[in-house]
Amino acid sequence: YLSRYITIALTAIYFLNHTKFILNANWWGKWAAGITSLALLLHIWPWDALPWTQDLAIYCATFLLTVSWISYIKTFSKLGSGADVVSIGELKRALKAGIPSKKIVFSGVGKTSEEIRFAIKSDILMFNVESISELKKISKESEYLNVQSNISLRINPDISAGGNEKISTGKAQDKFGIDWKSAIESYDFAANLSGIKIIGIDFHIGSQINQIKPFEESLDLLIGIIGELRKKGHEIKVFDVGGGLGVQY
């Protein structure tokens, strides 16, 4: 029974550490926390529990994770943070947690028409655009809604981030963003779309990057491109340098 008692203790410590986030949740979040606690106790207490209690605990723990995550977002929102989202689900979660729409950027590949329409109606800060085809899609949806959508183009600087190649996003052979050599031409094209308003530029070169040099090289390249764009009359007010700084563990 020792392992069961240790599990009980660890469970109690977890819920004590997350009391603030559970209390900040709405009624169904608190309900999920209670059911999770009950199911865990039924499963680990020194008697033969019903087989379904383990499955119930796993399901509710996953559900609770979502509720806790919204509470985490609420905390960041109160500190003035914005949000970078890659799906309609994340966008809805950010809005629900109180992130101002004008502090939300919609990134990521494969944005659907439904996601684009919802983001436009939510009046987000901007779209980080991955391709010319996506740019056309955003313009079309914006024209239908009789608005102009703020955008930045995600530029691929063709720079190795030095991390795991499987999560690299800044090399020419990677499927992400617009080739930096086509950046000026792409911005000229965007400027002629009636549903588009250019406000920024963006890059994201990967994840778990433990060196500063790849960021320095990317910044130097894009700063040069920004200068050329401004000479041509493009208004670049937002410079999104992505993320990817790694944590060694």
Side-chain angles (χ1 to χ4, degrees):
Y1 298 128
L2 180 60
S3 63
R4 288 177 172 176
Y5 291 127
I6 291 173
T7 305
I8 292 171
L10 291 174
T11 302
I13 291 170
Y14 172 84
F15 279 103
L16 285 173
N17 285 337
H18 289 75
T19 298
K20 177 181 177 181
F21 298 107
I22 293 170
L23 292 176
N24 283 340
N26 53 23
W27 68 267
W28 47 266
K30 295 181 177 72
W31 176 86
I35 293 296
T36 301
S37 304
L38 176 62
L40 282 170
L41 289 173
L42 284 172
H43 182 63
I44 61 181
W45 204 256
W47 56 61
D48 292 331
L50 296 172
W52 53 264
T53 57
Q54 184 176 12
D55 293 334
L56 179 63
I58 292 170
Y59 175 79
C60 288
T62 304
F63 182 56
L64 179 61
L65 176 63
T66 303
V67 175
S68 296
W69 182 235
I70 290 175
S71 296
Y72 283 120
I73 300 173
K74 284 181 180 178
T75 301
F76 279 104
S77 176
K78 290 174 183 177
L79 294 172
S81 177
D84 185 294
V85 304
V86 296
S87 69
I88 192 171
E90 289 185 0
L91 174 53
K92 288 179 177 180
R93 195 176 304 162
L95 291 169
K96 183 175 182 179
I99 300 284
S101 63
K102 282 302 185 183
K103 286 188 175 182
I104 298 177
V105 176
F106 202 134
S107 302
V109 298
K111 301 177 185 72
T112 67
S113 296
E114 178 191 3
E115 289 177 320
I116 291 168
R117 283 194 298 271
F118 184 83
I120 293 171
K121 291 176 181 179
S122 299
D123 196 26
I124 64 169
L125 173 62
M126 68 179 185
F127 291 94
N128 282 339
V129 180
E130 292 278 343
S131 65
I132 296 300
S133 60
E134 182 180 290
L135 185 64
K136 292 177 181 177
K137 183 188 287 187
I138 293 171
S139 181
K140 180 180 178 181
E141 295 296 339
S142 301
E143 290 169 9
Y144 179 77
L145 295 170
N146 198 30
V147 297
Q148 278 192 319
S149 292
N150 294 338
I151 65 98
S152 70
L153 296 185
R154 178 178 177 176
I155 304 302
N156 185 323
D158 191 19
I159 289 172
S160 174
N164 191 315
E165 287 298 317
K166 300 295 184 182
I167 52 176
S168 170
T169 60
K171 290 287 290 176
Q173 66 265 29
D174 297 328
K175 62 183 179 180
F176 303 98
I178 294 169
D179 185 353
W180 70 270
K181 296 174 185 176
S182 304
I184 305 298
E185 178 186 347
S186 298
Y187 272 93
D188 288 342
F189 179 82
N192 289 315
L193 295 174
S194 60
I196 295 299
K197 182 179 180 182
I198 297 167
I199 68 165
I201 193 168
D202 164 52
F203 75 84
H204 189 291
I205 56 176
S207 300
Q208 291 302 316
I209 304 168
N210 295 318
Q211 305 173 48
I212 296 298
K213 187 176 179 180
F215 289 100
E216 292 176 337
E217 293 176 350
S218 300
L219 283 167
D220 287 342
L221 177 64
L222 266 75
I223 286 171
I225 292 174
I226 290 172
E228 292 298 316
L229 290 171
R230 285 177 171 168
K231 285 179 184 177
K232 298 196 71 174
H234 298 297
E235 189 173 9
I236 306 297
K237 298 186 292 185
V238 180
F239 190 0
D240 187 338
V241 299
L245 283 172
V247 177
Q248 294 186 353
Y249 54 88

